[in-house]
Amino acid sequence: MDVTSIAKPVTGAAGRFFAGVGLLLRGIGLYVRSPGLMLLGVVPALISGAFFVSAFAALVWFVDDLAALVTPFADDWSGTWRGLVRVVAGLAFLGLGGLLGVLTFTAVTLVIGDPFYEKISERVEERLGGTPGAVDVPFWSSLRRSLADSVRLVALSVLVGIPLFLAGFIPVVGQTVVPVIGAAVGGWFLAVELVGAPFYRRGMRLPERRSLLKADRPTALGFGVAVFVCFLIPLGAVLVMPAAVAGATLLARRSLGQSIQES
């Protein structure tokens, strides 16, 4: 099956990008209107969120030491220049930590909350007319596949994150262009990660869902970047993750050419 032929672009790139943003907003609407979905979604996000907030707090605590560790060449410089270089290095560490935190939060939280988010996604699909082509996948098999795909995505995000981290040292560009690129890259990986559940229900793995999202990349980017920005807000990841799963279900159905209107 040529999966790239299923999703056909129907509007300009900008319109499709904002349509992707709209899918997140619709996911939020579906989530907040259902107390049952809210209860399912909050527990794994809180567990994972507490872990990552603690990890980022530790990074902030040790960032001065890390900045000094990677800039030994500045030890003999004047106080002003040494301080400036290490502030830039510290900001680069915090930026990389934030990017990797947003990306790995998704993977870790999906592993912790896999049964919860699977149920949220399933209930959203029931409202939209069910799951065409659904297959029966045993829980442990689904969990292993989800974990394996998550590890692959995290590894790829680290490989992309390292050049962005290094580019963060470039004056001006590192504080303007690089964050925009980081949001686009992070948004893409988030979109690919979050649509996992509805694709697994159809027996489709990572290569297939990546190909389908590429067929309408602006929509996937719009959704992913919107989620990425929400995740950067304090406690945003904890609050938005279940709604993002609902929105990702809409994105998956749209990419498969299936209805996203409530029946």
Side-chain angles (χ1 to χ4, degrees), residues 6-260:
I6 298 177
K8 298 295 186 180
V10 295
T11 61
R16 284 147 55 201
F17 180 91
F18 286 107
V21 176
L23 292 178
L24 174 60
L25 296 178
R26 284 191 58 189
I28 293 173
L30 286 169
Y31 178 65
V32 299
R33 294 199 308 268
S34 175
L37 295 184
M38 295 181 71
L39 182 61
L40 282 170
V42 69
V43 176
L46 285 175
I47 295 172
S48 186
F51 171 78
F52 278 98
V53 167
S54 299
F56 192 77
L59 176 62
V60 172
W61 182 265
F62 291 107
V63 72
D64 290 341
D65 295 332
L66 292 172
L69 183 66
V70 299
T71 57
F73 55 84
D75 287 344
D76 298 327
W77 292 8
S78 67
T80 300
W81 286 108
R82 182 174 62 248
L84 180 61
V85 167
R86 288 178 175 169
V87 165
V88 172
L91 290 174
F93 269 113
L94 293 177
L96 178 63
L99 174 62
L100 294 181
V102 167
L103 295 174
T104 56
F105 173 88
T106 306
V108 171
T109 306
L110 283 175
V111 170
I112 293 173
D114 188 73
F116 298 93
Y117 296 135
E118 169 67 28
K119 184 59 67 174
I120 289 174
S121 180
E122 184 179 329
R123 288 187 180 180
V124 169
E125 292 225 63
E126 288 173 357
R127 293 186 182 186
L128 302 175
T131 306
V135 297
D136 184 19
V137 181
F139 170 75
W140 290 112
S141 175
S142 175
L143 183 60
R144 286 196 300 271
R145 290 180 181 180
S146 176
L147 181 58
D149 286 348
S150 294
V151 169
R152 290 172 61 187
L153 283 170
V154 169
L156 185 57
S157 69
V158 170
L159 290 176
V160 174
I162 289 174
L164 291 175
F165 166 69
L166 296 175
F169 286 93
I170 303 173
V172 182
V173 173
Q175 291 74 50
T176 54
V177 177
V178 172
V180 174
I181 296 175
V185 171
W188 171 253
F189 284 124
L190 282 172
V192 174
E193 180 71 41
L194 287 167
V195 297
F199 278 100
Y200 284 139
R201 272 196 301 279
R202 294 163 171 82
M204 303 172 73
R205 295 294 304 278
L206 177 60
E208 292 170 297
R209 73 185 195 242
R210 192 163 48 200
S211 295
L212 278 164
L213 294 186
K214 282 181 180 179
D216 192 3
R217 192 187 296 270
T219 300
L221 276 176
F223 171 79
V225 169
V227 175
F228 184 90
V229 171
C230 289
F231 279 14
L232 292 178
I233 300 170
L235 297 180
V238 173
L239 298 174
V240 174
M241 173 63 89
V245 171
T249 304
L250 298 174
L251 175 62
R253 292 179 66 90
R254 176 178 170 133
S255 70
L256 289 162
Q258 296 167 0
S259 172
I260 58 173

